[in-house]
Amino acid sequence: MWHTFRELDELEGTPKGHAFRRFKALRGQWREGREFVVLDARHDAGRIAQLKREGRLYGSTLNAVLLSPEAARAIRAAGRTPAGDG
């Protein structure tokens, strides 16, 4: 199952944006379509709306990112390191 930033933030008990910042730090080592998928509001509006109805996305989300289980694990692990968010 692919994961969202909201799900990771809630799972870890971290504030909104924490998982996204970790994703940005790790993104360079991943390939779109394999570790993550970007849903574009213009082309994927129905899917984004469904994810919002399911409570899997933040209400303010325009373009969504879905994370593979491996990427989600890496983001969670990075969130546990002593390094801060900047």
Side-chain angles (χ1 to χ4, degrees):
M1 178 173 133
W2 290 72
H3 303 275
T4 67
F5 296 132
R6 180 179 184 164
E7 292 170 328
L8 295 182
D9 286 340
E10 289 178 354
L11 186 62
E12 293 296 312
T14 55
K16 178 182 176 183
H18 182 81
F20 177 68
R21 289 189 295 277
R22 298 280 60 85
F23 169 77
K24 286 187 355 183
L26 297 169
R27 181 180 178 172
Q29 64 191 10
W30 295 332
R31 200 171 83 216
E32 186 172 351
R34 190 175 63 194
E35 285 85 15
F36 69 97
V37 176
V38 177
L39 301 179
D40 184 283
R42 294 170 291 167
H43 305 290
D44 302 302
R47 189 157 182 210
I48 291 170
Q50 179 64 38
L51 290 166
K52 285 183 180 183
R53 283 191 298 275
E54 294 170 357
R56 297 184 63 201
L57 294 176
Y58 290 110
S60 61
T61 299
L62 297 178
N63 299 307
V65 176
L66 299 179
L67 306 160
S68 72
E70 296 79 17
R73 278 192 292 277
I75 287 171
R76 289 184 67 203
R80 293 188 204 102
T81 62
D85 288 336

